[in-house]
Amino acid sequence: MLSWQLRQFLFALVHWVVNLLVAIQNVYSRLRIKKCILPQDEVTKSDIRVILKHLPRVTKKLKHLVILADTDKHSVSDLARMVIWSLVAGISYVSFYDSTGELKENEEKLFLEVERNKKGVPGCIKWCRKPDLNGYTNGMQAHTVYINIFSCEDGRPTVVQCIRQIAEDRVVCSRESAEYTAQEIDNILMLMYPSIPDPELVLYTGPLCCTRGLLPWQIRLTEFIQLSLDHSINIDNFIGALYRYNKCDQRFGK
Amino acid sequence: MSWVRENCVSFLELLCIKVVKTGRVPQHIAFIMDGNRRFAKKNSVDSCAGHYKGFDKLSETLKWCLDLGIPEVTVYAFSIENFKRSKEEVDGLMDLARDKFQRLMDELDQINEWGVRIHVAGRLSLLPEDLRVLVSKAMLATRYNYKLRLNIAYAYTGRDEISRAATHIVDGVKNNELSPQDIDDELVSRTLELGEAELLVRTSGEVRLSDFMLWQVSNTVLYFTDVLWPEFTVYNLLAAIIHFQRNAPPPKAVVDISETKQEFLNKMERQRWQQIEKYVSCP
């Protein structure tokens, strides 16, 4: 119907037009952001005011937030600020998914950056992998954020490990019928992870939404929300994402 | 309405399909067909009518996928969690499935001509007996078709699929067909009923997986769109594919597996077919 060259030409044209549209969208969003906030690497008093102002309107409980961190695109300071914002917003678990493998190595750097930003913000931050870094809680009912860093090793390989242990009879997995049920496997798999609730929200940046192997067992009901198209992280898009999460309606199959 | 619709593609649509398929096309595309009930509500018809409209859309989509040259399509038709819906709606959905699988058997010549192979993935033991017989017949009758493989996730959840795969593997070790060291990522992937999708499309604006293909999406482009499933058009599909072409990670290399594992997998496949034959012969 169409000659090969013509098809190639039209195909290239379509992609060129889409590229152009995306570029325009990027320029537009950058201009809009520049107008309202200056680039910063600290949590400011105004950030906290913004969160406290909007928080009463975000009524849906968010216990566990996962951030798909890409160290090529996000600075340690970007990630640290999100920890503080989450602390202010009352989120109990913040996990980073380390897709490049560099964040786990730089955990201390992230810790120091979080501490630098935390000054004056009430609450407590606990690092699950580094209990010795955890500050002292003086018995007050201060809000606590638990930080985890997960990598692809915590995904499929952990499930594989679990199946292997069942096969070797190193753990006992009850089996009521011919086949294991999800509940029976879940009981065993829970022992292989730190005690974390299933994440309700995953935040990612950039045009591509992909789990990259993030905790396959735990993400069945997780909402995937884009923080920004151009990988920028600021208080406005963080609040925007919480609003969008608030609108998500879980039906649990019903 | 039949399974694969003819004459549903206009000249312009076909032109657009031809242009888009000049580039990389996903080799396996998955759909979460969400929004049938919202569509029904919007158009003030009952939810069952919405589900019928949803099925019609599926048959149109199959035709588009055939034209695009996509060899594998997986759809999420019914979750184990959906059994919790009202009895009336569950019965309605089961009747829809009965009706459609019966229709499929009547139109078998057409299906075979298109080369569509039907695979129903899920915990079939949860289905009503007559429906289980029907889907088993459909799978057996289309077993040797190879142009397009249509996986229908029915009485399915991703966690349940992983748990059933774990059962097969654990039993394989117990029967000395596998050693514990054989258990790895690749073996689990191949023991699962569904393969890895390259693109997953969810309609109606929801942005979660709802327990669908949890294991298989680690490298998948997830595409969420606001359109309701019964209103999904070929242009929505093409937009998803253009998004895929712009952002997809490179395809994964095929991994060779050892003879022991291959033998185990072959045996599992044989047993699966035996089980299906058993459903048909003595329900």
Side-chain angles (χ1 to χ4, degrees):
Chain A
M1 171 168 102
L2 278 177
S3 80
W4 179 247
Q5 280 95 343
L6 186 58
R7 267 173 65 178
Q8 286 266 317
F9 170 73
L10 289 174
F11 177 72
L13 188 69
V14 167
H15 273 267
W16 185 80
V17 169
V18 175
N19 277 335
L20 191 71
L21 292 174
V22 170
I24 291 170
Q25 194 189 0
N26 263 328
V27 169
Y28 173 74
S29 72
R30 217 164 286 173
L31 281 177
R32 210 188 46 185
I33 287 165
K34 275 243 171 80
K35 252 191 213 160
C36 43
I37 0 171
L38 298 159
Q40 51 181 14
D41 62 349
E42 274 191 350
V43 175
T44 59
K45 287 219 171 75
S46 90
D47 283 2
I48 294 174
R49 264 201 307 275
V50 170
I51 298 174
L52 292 177
K53 187 178 120 203
H54 290 280
L55 201 58
R57 268 177 273 171
V58 180
T59 49
K60 204 164 127 190
K61 186 76 188 140
L62 175 54
K63 267 171 87 179
H64 187 183
L65 166 70
V66 175
I67 294 154
L68 292 190
D70 182 340
T71 44
D72 297 335
K73 302 278 171 27
H74 310 135
S75 67
V76 172
S77 139
D78 284 336
L79 303 176
R81 275 183 293 140
M82 280 204 276
V83 172
I84 304 298
W85 295 337
S86 306
L87 178 70
V88 178
I91 300 166
S92 312
Y93 295 85
V94 174
S95 303
F96 292 100
Y97 185 65
D98 182 18
S99 53
T100 52
E102 272 173 41
L103 196 60
K104 266 193 174 169
E105 284 170 22
N106 289 313
E107 193 165 350
E108 305 245 342
K109 224 165 132 191
L110 180 64
F111 168 77
L112 292 173
E113 192 64 27
V114 169
E115 286 298 303
R116 192 174 74 84
N117 275 289
K118 189 180 171 293
K119 283 192 187 107
V121 181
C124 185
I125 295 171
K126 299 229 183 233
W127 296 73
C128 294
R129 288 202 322 140
K130 300 246 160 98
D132 49 318
L133 290 180
N134 291 337
Y136 173 69
T137 347
N138 47 11
M140 303 280 279
Q141 279 198 324
H143 176 64
T144 307
V145 178
Y146 295 89
I147 312 271
N148 275 289
I149 299 180
F150 294 113
S151 68
C152 61
E153 283 302 306
D154 300 298
R156 286 181 178 190
T158 304
V159 179
V160 167
Q161 204 58 38
C162 171
I163 298 174
R164 192 180 291 165
Q165 292 198 5
I166 297 172
E168 287 174 329
D169 280 329
R170 278 194 282 158
V171 288
V172 182
C173 186
S174 62
R175 197 197 297 195
E176 295 266 310
S177 58
E179 290 175 314
Y180 290 119
T181 61
Q183 189 56 52
E184 286 162 348
I185 296 291
D186 189 49
N187 292 339
I188 304 299
L189 208 50
M190 258 175 21
L191 308 172
M192 313 193 81
Y193 286 100
S195 62
I196 43 162
D198 288 349
E200 291 101 357
L201 175 60
V202 167
L203 293 179
Y204 66 96
T205 64
L208 172 63
C209 180
C210 176
T211 72
R212 297 174 202 273
L214 167 74
L215 307 173
W217 189 264
Q218 284 87 345
I219 54 165
R220 67 191 178 121
L221 298 174
T222 308
E223 315 279 352
F224 290 82
I225 289 178
Q226 186 187 49
L227 203 52
S228 64
L229 194 57
D230 60 353
H231 300 286
S232 64
I233 292 174
N234 58 53
I235 186 70
D236 279 7
N237 50 38
F238 185 77
I239 291 287
L242 290 189
Y243 268 110
R244 260 183 293 159
Y245 166 72
N246 195 45
K247 269 201 257 164
C248 292
D249 172 32
Q250 286 273 359
R251 285 163 284 153
F252 306 105
K254 289 192 181 165
Chain B
M1 181 77 72
S2 58
W3 277 73
V4 187
R5 285 181 69 181
E6 251 176 317
N7 314 322
C8 67
V9 184
S10 73
F11 179 78
L12 181 66
E13 288 170 354
L14 197 62
L15 181 89
C16 293
I17 287 174
K18 289 250 156 138
V19 169
V20 169
K21 75 185 268 197
T22 311
R24 179 177 163 198
V25 168
Q27 295 303 293
H28 182 174
I29 182 168
F31 291 98
I32 302 182
M33 310 180 290
D34 197 7
N36 292 342
R37 286 184 295 176
R38 262 165 283 179
F39 173 83
K41 216 169 158 189
K42 199 170 115 187
N43 292 282
S44 0
V45 288
D46 65 355
S47 65
C48 198
H51 290 306
Y52 270 83
K53 265 272 179 295
F55 178 85
D56 295 348
K57 190 51 73 178
L58 170 62
S59 57
E60 267 182 80
T61 307
L62 283 183
K63 179 74 178 75
W64 301 331
C65 289
L66 273 167
D67 286 339
L68 276 160
I70 297 172
E72 188 164 4
V73 177
T74 301
V75 297
Y76 200 7
F78 193 81
S79 148
I80 294 178
E81 302 291 314
N82 291 150
F83 280 113
K84 287 192 221 152
R85 291 184 181 178
S86 73
K87 186 176 181 304
E88 197 187 350
E89 191 179 348
V90 172
D91 288 347
L93 282 163
M94 294 293 153
D95 283 340
L96 170 72
R98 278 186 195 101
D99 179 28
K100 294 305 172 187
F101 279 102
Q102 191 57 58
R103 174 68 67 92
L104 183 137
M105 296 312 286
D106 300 339
E107 286 174 351
L108 206 55
D109 290 342
Q110 178 83 70
I111 300 279
N112 287 338
E113 195 185 312
W114 290 103
V116 178
R117 173 178 170 177
I118 309 276
H119 176 85
V120 179
R123 207 175 265 254
L124 297 186
S125 56
L126 294 175
L127 297 185
E129 207 177 282
D130 60 328
L131 183 56
R132 191 163 55 226
V133 173
L134 268 176
V135 301
S136 304
K137 276 186 186 161
M139 283 196 266
L140 284 169
T142 58
R143 183 173 175 177
Y144 298 108
N145 294 340
Y146 57 89
K147 262 209 199 115
L148 186 145
R149 180 185 168 122
L150 171 63
N151 305 303
I152 303 171
Y154 211 92
Y156 172 95
T157 63
R159 280 190 178 187
D160 185 65
E161 187 192 21
I162 298 171
S163 308
R164 283 184 288 119
T167 311
H168 290 300
I169 293 173
V170 169
D171 290 348
V173 172
K174 298 259 147 78
N175 301 334
N176 289 324
E177 293 156 21
L178 288 171
S179 80
Q181 280 66 44
D182 287 326
I183 306 173
D184 59 11
D185 194 320
E186 188 61 27
L187 183 76
V188 176
S189 295
R190 296 204 193 192
T191 311
L192 295 171
E193 275 192 272
L194 300 175
E196 290 177 23
E198 286 196 299
L199 170 64
L200 185 144
V201 177
R202 177 162 194 164
T203 54
S204 94
E206 300 299 343
V207 290
R208 56 177 173 270
L209 294 170
S210 297
D211 217 335
F212 184 49
M213 296 181 98
L214 298 174
W215 180 277
Q216 293 93 333
V217 293
S218 65
N219 222 23
T220 305
V221 176
L222 305 179
Y223 182 82
F224 302 108
T225 168
D226 286 333
V227 61
L228 301 177
W229 176 251
E231 291 168 346
F232 190 74
T233 66
V234 67
Y235 301 108
N236 296 119
L237 177 63
L238 294 178
I241 291 174
I242 289 172
H243 176 79
F244 169 83
Q245 289 171 339
R246 291 170 53 80
N247 298 299
K252 252 174 76 179
V254 182
V255 187
D256 283 327
I257 58 165
S258 73
E259 240 170 74
T260 345
K261 292 187 209 173
Q262 192 57 59
E263 216 164 282
F264 163 77
L265 292 169
N266 293 344
K267 190 173 167 206
M268 195 181 76
E269 183 72 5
R270 276 199 305 278
Q271 282 171 343
R272 211 175 61 79
W273 283 113
Q274 279 164 6
Q275 180 65 49
I276 291 169
E277 277 160 4
K278 219 164 90 190
Y279 283 145
V280 174
S281 57
C282 46

